Amino acid sequence: MTEIQRYAAFSTDPAGGNPAGVVLDASGLDDAEMLAIAAGLGYSETAFVTGRPGGDGYRVRYFSPLAEVPFCGHATVATAAALGPGEHRFETNAGTVPVVVDESGVATLTSVDPHVSDLPADDLAALLATLRWSAGDLDPALPPKVAYAGAYHPVLAVTSRRRLARLDYDVPALKALMTERGWTTVQLMFRAGPAEFDVRNPFPVGGVYEDPATGAAAAAFGGYLRALGLVEPDATVLLRQGDDLGRPSRITVRLVPGEAGVRVSGAAVAIPGQPAPGKENAAVAIPE
C-alpha cells in the first residue's frame, strides 16, 4: 500500500503554511495513479519520489489535482523535511535542485537558473481583466514581468496592501489565460519594506483557487528582484504569504553573488494524524 505523508511547508505550525503530500516510494506508480493520489488529497501539489539516480539523488515528480507540474517549491521543502537532515539532490522535470535540511528542520533549496522576460502589453491587459484590477492598481516601481525558476509566473505588484487583500478573480478566464501562456501561478505582491513583501498566488490551473505558500514562485521572484536591481546583490528577502487565507507562511529568499540559482528556505512540519483532507482542507479549493 502506498504511504502518503502530509506536511505543512513554510510554517512551524501544521495549521499554517501550504499542505503538501509526499510519497517517498512511488517507483511502482504510473502517471495516472500519481495524478489520482494528488486529486484525492486535494492539496495544490503532491511530490512523488520515483527513483534514486545514485548518491544523494532522488528523482522527484510533482502533481497538482489536475496535472503534472515541472517544479514545486513547497512540496520540495516538504519532501526534504520528510527525508531528514542532510544534503539531498532532487532531479526534477525542470532540472537539478539541491536541497539542504538543517537539524531544526529548515530546508533550503537552490533553484535552477532563473530568467526574466517582458510581459507583453496584450497579456498584461488580459491578466488585469481576469483579476478585475486596473492599470492604476499597479506599482510603477515594480514593473510587470514573467519570471522563471523552474516554472513560469507573471509578476504583478500593487500599490496598496488592501488591494492585494481583496483578491477576487475570474476563475475560468484566468485559468484559460494561464493554460494558453504556460503560466503555473501568478505572483501578486505588495512591497512592505526594502526586503519585505506580502504575496499571493492564484493557481486555478492546478485546481485550487490560491496557494498559501509558493516556493517556485518565490525563487522566480528572487530572480526578478535581482535582474531588475530592486534589492542588494546579496539580499535576504522575506515573503509573507497565506495570511489572507488563515494559513500564515514565511518564505526566505536569499541571493548569493556569483550563484546563478536562488535560495529559498522554510520550515516544514508533519500534519498530525495524517487525515485524508478532502477538498475543504486543500490549499484553497476552487468553488464549485
Side-chain angles (χ1 to χ4, degrees):
M1 183 175 180
T2 302
E3 181 183 1
I4 304 168
Q5 300 184 49
R6 297 166 177 85
Y7 277 78
F10 296 112
S11 175
T12 56
D13 181 354
N18 196 357
V22 177
V23 178
L24 292 180
D25 182 6
S27 57
L29 300 176
D30 61 23
D31 290 13
E33 289 169 325
M34 287 187 278
L35 182 59
I37 289 171
L41 280 174
Y43 294 156
S44 56
E45 272 103 3
T46 297
F48 297 86
V49 178
T50 61
R52 292 293 306 272
D56 60 356
Y58 296 86
R59 175 70 174 102
V60 184
R61 297 174 66 185
Y62 308 91
F63 284 79
S64 79
L66 295 183
E68 185 172 11
V69 297
F71 175 67
C72 171
H74 88 274
T76 293
V77 166
T79 303
L83 290 170
E87 298 182 5
H88 310 295
R89 187 182 76 254
F90 289 2
E91 301 297 342
T92 77
N93 288 356
T96 301
V97 177
V99 192
V100 178
V101 182
D102 68 20
E103 292 297 330
S104 70
V106 172
T108 299
L109 67 87
T110 302
S111 76
V112 299
D113 294 0
H115 60 78
V116 179
S117 58
D118 289 334
L119 179 63
D122 289 349
D123 285 355
L124 174 58
L127 184 53
L128 289 173
T130 65
L131 292 169
R132 302 187 176 104
W133 288 4
S134 72
D137 291 318
L138 300 182
D139 185 344
L142 296 149
K145 297 285 183 180
V146 176
Y148 171 89
Y152 289 94
H153 311 266
V155 179
L156 296 183
V158 290
T159 56
S160 77
R161 181 65 179 85
R162 184 181 179 187
R163 172 71 273 183
L164 187 67
R166 291 160 47 208
L167 181 62
D168 176 26
Y169 67 85
D170 183 328
V171 173
L174 183 56
K175 181 181 178 181
L177 177 64
M178 293 174 68
T179 300
E180 184 177 347
R181 298 294 183 266
W183 299 336
T184 299
T185 72
V186 182
Q187 180 85 339
L188 308 174
M189 47 93 176
F190 167 72
R191 190 169 202 165
E196 294 185 19
F197 296 83
D198 293 287
V199 299
R200 302 187 72 172
N201 279 87
F203 187 34
V205 296
V208 296
Y209 190 82
E210 181 179 355
D211 258 348
T214 320
F221 184 49
Y224 165 94
L225 294 172
R226 179 168 56 197
L228 274 64
L230 296 168
V231 293
E232 295 298 320
D234 59 349
T236 297
V237 179
L238 173 65
L239 304 185
R240 288 185 292 265
Q241 192 174 345
D243 293 39
D244 298 287
L245 308 176
R247 295 198 68 100
S249 306
R250 298 296 179 261
I251 305 171
T252 301
V253 174
R254 186 180 172 203
L255 303 177
V256 178
E259 184 174 277
V262 174
R263 298 188 188 186
V264 176
S265 300
V269 60
I271 298 173
Q274 305 286 300
K279 288 287 185 180
E280 70 275 12
N281 291 326
V284 174
I286 291 177
E288 298 292 342

